Amino acid sequence: MEESGGWGRDPCLSFSGWGRQVERFYGSFEYSLDAKGRLILPARLRSQFDTKRALVSCYVDQCLAVWTYEQFDRHLARAQAMEVKGPGGRNLARALSGWSADVEIDGQWRLTIPANLRAYAGLEPEQPVMVVGAFNRIELWQVGLWQQQMASSLESLANGTSELFTEAVPAGPPTETVGAP
């Protein structure tokens, strides 16, 4: 089991928004699904799952998302709003609601990933899975697909061409003119 990110701090960074604290997940961890399709939730990502329940859904780029109830409700509301946009929007809303599962987290902090969701993401028992903190959710990836998805982003970070580095940065605090009214 490998782990990265966090630099020894709590992986759920607090962000104060809309008058309340919002926790953000970060860090990446490599675990394996057991023969029963269960995956251990990394200790550093457990703090928001005190009810020992989570929601797992299909997500973009062929990964799965693990949600707290609060975050899933927000995501589901956005999907439900898509229904009025015609057949495509209704199908997206159906996919999210139909390809989601309420899962219990057992005493050993394992989530049982339903077979249909494992198939969607290409997750196989006894094979490694990347568990990735992704701000408002945790993503589960087939390792090869994760590496493929991250290759160009990591390259742009390494060579300084990422959009994170190309935005204009203020040169410093504005200077004050002495004697100006």
Side-chain angles (χ1 to χ4, degrees):
M1 153 177 70
E2 293 180 25
E3 174 175 326
S4 69
W7 302 285
R9 297 176 49 211
D10 187 333
C12 298
L13 293 174
S14 292
F15 167 75
S16 187
W18 302 288
R20 61 186 178 72
Q21 289 291 103
V22 177
E23 300 295 324
R24 302 287 188 210
F25 296 108
Y26 72 96
S28 60
F29 311 83
E30 187 175 317
Y31 282 79
S32 291
L33 281 177
D34 70 12
K36 296 180 181 180
R38 298 176 300 192
L39 180 73
I40 295 174
L41 187 62
R44 297 177 64 208
L45 297 178
R46 296 176 185 171
S47 67
Q48 292 189 63
F49 296 99
D50 54 353
T51 63
K52 301 290 266 238
R53 300 200 68 76
L55 288 132
V56 180
S57 68
C58 59
Y59 201 64
V60 296
D61 300 323
Q62 203 178 344
C63 75
L64 299 179
V66 179
W67 305 90
T68 64
Y69 276 91
E70 181 181 1
Q71 290 295 338
F72 187 75
D73 283 345
R74 289 184 185 140
H75 191 60
L76 199 58
R78 285 192 300 268
Q80 189 172 5
M82 294 291 296
E83 288 186 310
V84 299
K85 297 187 181 223
R90 284 191 298 277
N91 283 335
L92 285 172
R94 287 177 186 129
L96 179 63
S97 62
W99 286 74
S100 297
D102 182 1
V103 298
E104 184 177 332
I105 301 170
D106 71 15
Q108 296 177 24
W109 287 93
R110 295 176 299 193
L111 306 165
T112 300
I113 309 300
N116 66 327
L117 294 175
R118 290 193 316 259
Y120 169 82
L123 304 179
E124 297 288 334
E126 310 295 338
Q127 295 296 312
V129 174
M130 287 305 300
V131 181
V132 180
F135 305 115
N136 67 338
R137 67 195 174 279
I138 297 167
E139 294 180 348
L140 308 178
W141 289 83
Q142 189 274 335
V143 172
L145 185 56
W146 168 253
Q147 291 169 340
Q148 180 183 343
Q149 284 289 113
M150 292 295 99
S152 65
S153 294
L154 290 173
E155 182 179 334
S156 72
L157 282 171
N159 65 26
T161 60
S162 167
E163 290 181 32
L164 290 171
F165 304 117
T166 58
E167 299 219 2
V169 178
T175 56
E176 188 175 308
T177 307
V178 178

